[in-house]
Amino acid sequence: NAGVTQTPKFQVLKTGQSMTLQCAQDMNHNSMYWYRQDPGMGLRLIYYSASEGTTDKGEVPNGYNVSRLNKREFSLRLESAAPSQTSVYFCASNLQGSTIYFGEGSWLTVV
Amino acid sequence: RKEVEQDPGPFNVPEGATVAFNCTYSNSASQSFFWYRQDCRKEPKLLMSVYSSGNEDGRFTAQLNRASQYISLLIRDSKLSDSATYLCVVNLGSQGNLIFGKGTKLSVKP
């Protein structure tokens, strides 16, 4: 009963390094999302994908790129990490209008 | 005005207490509403949807007042295991338009 799986769970990057957060869901959901959560800021949407082959910017897209590889997978890439991108990242998915399910989170620290 | 506002708390209550959380939203076109629970260092998980007529699930009762753009969550007979952050979530009805409140932290003490 995997649900939404994201990797890695923990990562430390140096400023300027790049990395990709991977996310996969096995619930046949059309929509997938990437959020970041910072203390006192709540969950903020970075990018989302309403269906395979489409992606759209959310509230805080700067510094990130995404790729909806297929219906199951939605990756988030940091091309040149900055300390301001230190955060907890959550991948999520749902069928349009229905309950949203989250992965367990990825803790990223940029030093 | 922020899109979804919640009292950040923390609410510190004794076991057995009744506690109520409130949430207001700014967009009158909002279509669906949810309460999520988030434990420390964990992902948010659905607690319950909120229906126009109000709904109850065991010790939890959710209410919606569309006229006042207000959602509430009532927890009766609080348990230690209820300690968590409760997120109010509003769906504007189109993709990418799930708006999360910043959450209200609840701490239930013995």
Side-chain angles (χ1 to χ4, degrees):
Chain A
N1 200 15
V4 180
T5 304
Q6 57 180 108
T7 57
K9 193 168 179 71
F10 300 100
Q11 183 73 51
V12 179
L13 286 178
K14 293 182 179 179
T15 298
Q17 285 186 318
S18 62
M19 77 159 297
T20 300
L21 298 175
Q22 307 286 354
C23 177
Q25 51 90 11
D26 62 2
M27 296 175 282
N28 203 33
H29 287 165
N30 296 320
S31 303
M32 297 187 73
Y33 309 82
W34 276 105
Y35 289 89
R36 62 177 288 174
Q37 188 174 37
D38 302 289
M41 297 296 291
L43 280 158
R44 293 183 292 169
L45 183 64
I46 304 171
Y47 271 93
Y48 67 98
S49 170
S51 61
E52 184 179 352
T54 67
T55 60
D56 286 284
K57 295 178 180 180
E59 182 185 353
V60 288
N62 291 344
Y64 306 95
N65 286 301
V66 290
S67 179
R68 182 75 182 266
L69 303 169
N70 48 54
K71 191 171 186 179
R72 289 187 66 247
E73 298 173 289
F74 188 41
S75 61
L76 178 72
R77 183 161 178 83
L78 287 70
E79 290 291 352
S80 179
S84 61
Q85 294 178 303
T86 293
S87 188
V88 183
Y89 292 85
F90 288 103
C91 179
S93 71
N94 71 342
L95 291 172
Q96 185 175 354
S98 72
T99 303
I100 189 168
Y101 294 89
F102 289 85
E104 293 184 340
S106 297
W107 272 254
L108 176 65
T109 301
V110 183
V111 297
Chain B
R1 180 181 175 186
K2 296 177 184 172
E3 294 198 67
V4 176
E5 290 200 61
Q6 298 181 246
D7 183 336
F11 283 56
N12 297 309
V13 303
E15 272 187 292
T18 295
V19 61
F21 302 139
N22 302 320
C23 171
T24 57
Y25 60 96
S26 60
N27 193 324
S28 60
S30 299
Q31 297 192 5
S32 53
F33 310 88
F34 308 90
W35 283 102
Y36 274 70
R37 170 194 169 127
Q38 186 173 23
D39 293 290
C40 187
R41 300 184 69 79
K42 297 287 189 181
E43 75 274 23
K45 292 183 179 179
L46 179 69
L47 178 65
M48 58 196 304
S49 301
V50 186
Y51 302 118
S52 298
S53 55
N55 49 299
E56 186 174 307
D57 182 2
R59 298 182 293 108
F60 299 85
T61 300
Q63 297 279 353
L64 168 64
N65 184 323
R66 284 190 183 270
S68 301
Q69 296 181 199
Y70 170 95
I71 306 157
S72 66
L73 176 68
L74 183 75
I75 305 176
R76 291 181 299 279
D77 188 23
S78 299
K79 311 292 184 189
L80 297 176
S81 58
D82 293 334
S83 297
T85 296
Y86 291 83
L87 305 174
C88 174
V89 185
V90 172
N91 188 345
L92 298 183
S94 56
Q95 290 297 331
N97 272 322
L98 272 171
I99 310 297
F100 287 80
K102 294 181 180 180
T104 298
K105 186 172 182 179
L106 171 66
S107 181
V108 182
K109 305 293 187 184

